[in-house]
Amino acid sequence: MKVSTYTVLLFAAFVCMVCVSTSATAFEPEEVEVNPELENFTAQFLPPQILNVTDGVYVARGYNRDNPVLIEGTDGLIIIDPGESIPAAEVVKEAYNKQLNNIFDRKPVKAVIYTHHHDCHIHGASVFADNDTEIIAHELLDDTLYYDWYSQLYPSRLEGGAMMMGGFYANDSGWYSGGALFYKQIRGPSGYMPPTITVNDTLETNIAGVNLSIFSAPGETRDVLVIWLPEKKTLVQIANCYESFPAITTIRGAVMRNPLDYIDSIDLCRSFNPEYMVSLHGPNPVIVGEENISHTLTNYRDAIQFIHDQTVQNMNKGLTPGEIKEVVKLPPHLASDPYLQEYYGSVERDIYEIFWWYRGYYTGKSRDMYAQSPTEEAEMAAELAGGVDELTGKAKNALDEGNLEWALILADDVLLLDPKNAEAREVKNLSMLALAENTKNAQERNYLLSEYLVETGQATYPASGKPKLAFASMEDKAVTYMPVDTLFRIMAVSLNASRCLDKDMVVGVHLTDANKNTESSDYALYVRKGILEVQPETPEDSEFTITTSSLIWKNLVLGKLDPQKAVSDGKVKITGADPKEFYEFMGLFN
């Protein structure tokens, strides 16, 4: 059995979801069957193809994780969402050149538009753009990028994204079945370029002789843009409508999303009455015909509203999300719509997300007031079953009877109490594999198989439980653009509270190159009995002061630079104390 090592240190930087490739036939079993519906859906991505939407509008389907769009103007080109990495964008550029008679040699790229901050929409920009190219994005793109992804939650997001996307086995044809909204993943360095033009609500512009109306349309993220080409009656969109039932919040983890934003933004798209609609994800990115597009968008927004309204209606009746999912189902005309199949999102999971959006975790039932740890729940399950051996038998019976979800849960309970229980391990392994084979939901399949590989020792995630390693793996370009406030949030959650419960101290930081218009030059770092408070001020009675540049400070905090080396190389100056105190201070942060 070959062991695959999954390491974030190999990853492309500035990514919003992580993809890892592994050797073919690396795992046991060699093949995991795919639900026929998911298999047939994924097969539609192949072969990769350049599609001519209408005059001067093209979309590249199946070459990488998104569907980059090319718009040809009289004296230049526009690219929408250039891909997840430099190599991914190069593949797309080559395909466009081959299909369109070396179009990038004949005309310059006048603008690159990012529809939102997710990695596959921003990291290929430098392949198409130069210093004269306008980069257009929502004004919230940077804020969202550094709040939801390159943030205090980066280690969690990194691991969750890898699990959800099947990163361990992306090159293993016996295991990989895509991510529903994409098939191919091409890792590599980031070609992200920061926006030169930002959009608040609406931007009306002409680029290369093409009139564009660009609108803010929040939904999957706060920074979504949709692009309307009025003369071509063409809508380019994503993040509110795609070829699957939506995930109001993905299982990799994300900032909670307002479900009503999706509806409002889809209604905006409907108002254009487009004759062509291009989606930047999915195997069938082009819909033609005003009636067809109207039908798709109307059903999509109606499905979201139906689940939303019925969830809220039942909340008002006092039902919990677990009770609501038993009674709320999509009506037949929506459940049968090709754009509403649960390849990516899930009706049941969205019910929970909507409930939590409005109420939080507590259901209103007293039984749910007393949160139990997984181990406590396992101990009670074992007691009710008559002991750990008896609970193991219950798990095996559930598996034999085809009750796979309960087999997984009960076997996991046993393993929490007896990690070396071979029979429970086998039951859990078989239940995860069977659930993965049965589901048509790609997120669900990838999470199940990723956990299986980790728990059977066939794959490893070195940064799991080691946030400092994950922070240190952050690509340099992401660090360069990181706001200092984000950095201090990372520092705060990295504080080893148990080592400083008796400390009450303040340290000064002076950044020699801070942008005075947006950031302070001086900060006071208060370590106070287990927490870090940071204020943009010069402390009066600091233990010592750290003087350095912004980038050196970022690399120190993230663990990319050794404090002692930084001092010895003259990159950091300590005043008011011996450098040893600085080293001890930095050692307080995990």
Side-chain angles (χ1 to χ4, degrees), residues 227 303 357 541 589:
I227 297 90
W357 170 260
D541 300 311
F589 300 89

Side-chain angles (χ1 to χ4, degrees), residues 494-503 529-531 588 590:
S494 300
L495 182 67
N496 188 329
S498 63
R499 293 182 59 189
C500 53
L501 290 175
D502 60 346
K503 291 190 180 294
K529 296 179 172 58
I531 65 99
L588 295 176
N590 292 326

Side-chain angles (χ1 to χ4, degrees), residues 32-337:
V32 180
E33 291 184 9
V34 183
N35 176 289
E37 289 185 65
L38 177 59
E39 185 174 34
N40 292 336
F41 180 77
T42 301
Q44 296 176 68
F45 280 99
L46 303 174
Q49 191 174 0
I50 301 295
L51 302 173
N52 186 185
V53 181
T54 186
D55 181 42
V57 180
Y58 306 88
V59 59
R61 187 279 318 277
Y63 292 94
N64 59 3
R65 287 226 335 267
D66 72 338
N67 299 324
V69 166
L70 183 151
I71 301 170
E72 182 178 8
T74 55
D75 62 345
L77 308 171
I78 303 163
I79 293 291
I80 302 176
D81 286 1
E84 68 264 30
S85 66
I86 289 174
E90 288 173 341
V91 169
V92 170
K93 186 175 184 179
E94 181 181 356
Y96 272 128
N97 272 332
K98 184 176 181 180
Q99 182 84 6
L100 302 175
N101 191 27
N102 294 315
I103 191 167
F104 290 102
D105 295 333
R106 295 186 288 109
K107 292 184 178 182
V109 175
K110 294 293 186 76
V112 171
I113 302 173
Y114 301 147
T115 60
H116 61 296
H117 74 276
H118 285 166
D119 68 312
C120 49
H121 302 271
I122 64 176
H123 291 303
S126 66
V127 171
F128 300 100
D130 58 28
N131 291 335
D132 296 324
T133 306
E134 297 288 4
I135 308 295
I136 302 173
H138 199 289
E139 69 172 7
L140 294 177
L141 182 138
D142 281 345
D143 287 348
T144 308
L145 186 64
Y146 283 101
Y147 180 78
D148 190 25
W149 194 260
Y150 293 111
S151 68
Q152 61 185 345
L153 284 164
Y154 182 68
S156 175
R157 295 286 193 261
L158 196 67
E159 186 171 2
M163 301 281 279
M164 186 187 82
M165 294 173 58
F168 289 126
Y169 47 85
N171 279 355
D172 192 322
S173 60
W175 282 62
Y176 187 64
S177 60
L181 303 185
F182 63 90
Y183 179 68
K184 195 167 186 178
Q185 312 175 44
I186 303 177
R187 297 182 294 119
S190 169
Y192 173 77
M193 299 173 69
T196 59
I197 297 174
T198 59
V199 180
N200 176 6
D201 182 52
T202 305
L203 174 66
E204 305 279 352
T205 188
N206 182 287
I207 302 172
V210 179
N211 289 322
L212 301 94
S213 299
I214 304 174
F215 296 89
S216 173
E220 186 174 283
T221 69
R222 297 178 297 148
D223 62 324
V224 178
L225 296 177
V226 297
I227 297 90
W228 171 238
L229 309 177
E231 274 114 19
K232 300 177 185 293
K233 297 287 284 182
T234 298
L235 171 69
V236 181
Q237 66 82 40
I238 198 58
N240 292 305
C241 176
Y242 39 76
E243 202 172 344
S244 171
F245 193 83
I248 297 298
T249 301
T250 63
I251 60 176
R252 67 169 165 79
V255 172
M256 296 290 287
R257 302 163 180 174
N258 184 348
L260 295 180
D261 280 348
Y262 284 79
I263 297 169
D264 291 341
S265 292
I266 295 172
D267 285 346
L268 170 68
C269 293
R270 294 168 71 210
S271 72
F272 303 136
N273 297 315
E275 293 180 4
Y276 304 92
M277 185 171 80
V278 186
S279 295
L280 293 152
H281 276 302
N284 301 292
V286 181
I287 301 179
V288 178
E290 184 176 328
E291 185 176 343
N292 292 334
I293 296 168
S294 176
H295 175 81
T296 297
L297 291 174
T298 300
N299 274 5
Y300 208 86
R301 58 91 63 213
D302 285 358
I304 297 172
Q305 183 174 343
F306 183 89
I307 296 302
H308 172 275
D309 290 357
Q310 294 305 304
T311 297
V312 173
Q313 181 184 109
N314 283 287
M315 288 174 67
N316 289 335
K317 295 177 180 178
L319 272 63
T320 68
E323 293 168 329
I324 294 171
K325 78 179 181 66
E326 293 179 349
V327 298
V328 173
K329 312 293 178 185
L330 281 177
H333 77 285
L334 297 177
S336 61
D337 190 302

Side-chain angles (χ1 to χ4, degrees), residues 47 59 238 246 252 256 258 267 290 338 350 359 389 450 458 462 464 469 483 509 539 563:
V59 59
I238 198 58
R252 67 169 165 79
M256 296 290 287
N258 184 348
D267 285 346
E290 184 176 328
D350 281 356
R359 183 174 180 120
D389 289 343
S450 296
Q458 299 186 67
S464 183
L469 179 59
V509 173

Side-chain angles (χ1 to χ4, degrees), residues 378-394 414 417:
E379 289 171 343
M380 180 56 70
E383 183 175 336
L384 292 173
V388 172
D389 289 343
E390 288 75 11
L391 183 59
T392 306
K394 296 289 187 184
V414 173
L417 303 176

Side-chain angles (χ1 to χ4, degrees), residues 330-353:
L330 281 177
H333 77 285
L334 297 177
S336 61
D337 190 302
Y339 254 65
L340 292 169
Q341 301 309 297
E342 295 176 82
Y343 299 121
Y344 188 70
S346 157
V347 171
E348 289 191 357
R349 287 198 291 271
D350 281 356
I351 287 170
Y352 279 83
E353 297 292 349

